[in-house]
Amino acid sequence: MMDWSMRQLLPEGLTEAGQRLAESLRKRQVRFPISEAALAATLEGIDDPSLRGMRLRLEEGGRLSVAGEKRKGVWIPFAVTFIAVPPPAHEVGQAVDLYLERVEPLLAHPFILRALGKLQEMEVSGNRARVRIDRWVGQQEWARLIPEGLRGRIRVVDVTTDAERRLLVTLGWDEGDARPALRP
């Protein structure tokens, strides 16, 4: 609740304009494509000499398939498929969650997740790897125009793939209780 002196500083017209701006920002979304080649290049950042021949392929429905070989005395071929999804609504910050969907051979999943955990932008928990994209968002020109307090409410709202073999990540406003709103 605003006191009388604050009402003088924020006349009703300005407050209403701010509310309209916040509402229009809430409805906007930014979708950015990440090419299969760019994603595959991140595999080169995995510093693990016991892995070789790592290949990444994007599939329909926001799926990433990774294949390669792991040295366990002998070179063992493996293949894993992750499904990329937005993080749960209660999580803050911009991220994409990768959940293990399929693993061959079954015993391959621990070393894959350990290898992903070595990447700076990854957080691994259970059968999930969270790709933190907060820093990338903060470096975008459009994001710099948004006040930092509101920028923290931007979140990943959709992840899918397209026919051009790109991962499409859509950013929008947090739809929870913390969505941007100006109240008198």
Side-chain angles (χ1 to χ4, degrees):
M1 181 156 198
M2 230 187 288
D3 66 10
W4 182 83
S5 61
M6 191 61 122
R7 286 188 189 277
Q8 283 183 319
L9 294 173
L10 291 173
E12 189 174 318
L14 181 58
T15 302
E16 289 174 11
Q19 288 173 333
R20 284 191 307 272
L21 173 63
E23 184 62 22
S24 101
L25 287 173
R26 187 185 69 75
K27 291 180 181 176
R28 292 182 186 240
Q29 294 183 342
V30 176
R31 176 178 276 179
F32 60 94
I34 305 171
S35 71
E36 185 177 79
L39 289 168
T42 63
L43 292 178
E44 295 171 8
I46 296 177
D47 185 23
D48 188 340
S50 70
L51 294 173
R52 74 175 183 190
M54 301 279 283
R55 299 169 308 283
L56 179 136
R57 193 180 77 202
L58 287 175
E59 297 177 356
E60 192 175 310
R63 287 172 172 76
L64 294 88
S65 290
V66 178
E69 294 179 309
K70 169 74 174 170
R71 182 152 182 99
K72 286 287 194 185
V74 297
W75 290 101
I76 301 169
F78 68 88
V80 295
T81 301
F82 293 95
I83 184 162
V85 297
H90 65 276
E91 299 285 341
V92 293
Q94 298 89 36
V96 172
D97 284 351
L98 302 174
Y99 285 94
L100 278 173
E101 187 176 63
R102 185 176 51 87
V103 181
E104 293 176 20
L106 189 57
L107 299 174
H109 80 278
F111 69 79
I112 292 296
L113 291 170
R114 264 195 310 275
L116 289 175
K118 293 178 182 179
L119 294 172
Q120 183 179 358
E121 59 276 348
M122 292 281 198
E123 297 171 0
V124 174
S125 175
N127 284 338
R128 181 204 76 208
R130 174 163 289 162
V131 184
R132 302 299 312 193
I133 60 173
D134 307 70
R135 283 173 270 161
W136 178 86
V137 169
Q139 295 170 355
Q140 302 307 303
E141 192 63 37
W142 58 264
R144 292 183 191 153
L145 301 174
I146 299 171
E148 193 170 332
L150 291 179
R151 193 177 333 140
R153 295 181 180 160
I154 296 171
R155 56 179 282 110
V156 174
V157 295
D158 188 40
V159 183
T160 190
T161 47
D162 67 6
E164 297 175 36
R165 299 179 79 95
R166 300 179 302 178
L167 190 67
L168 302 175
V169 178
T170 304
L171 298 174
W173 289 112
D174 181 357
E175 293 295 331
D177 294 334
R179 80 172 168 209
L182 301 174
R183 300 189 198 283

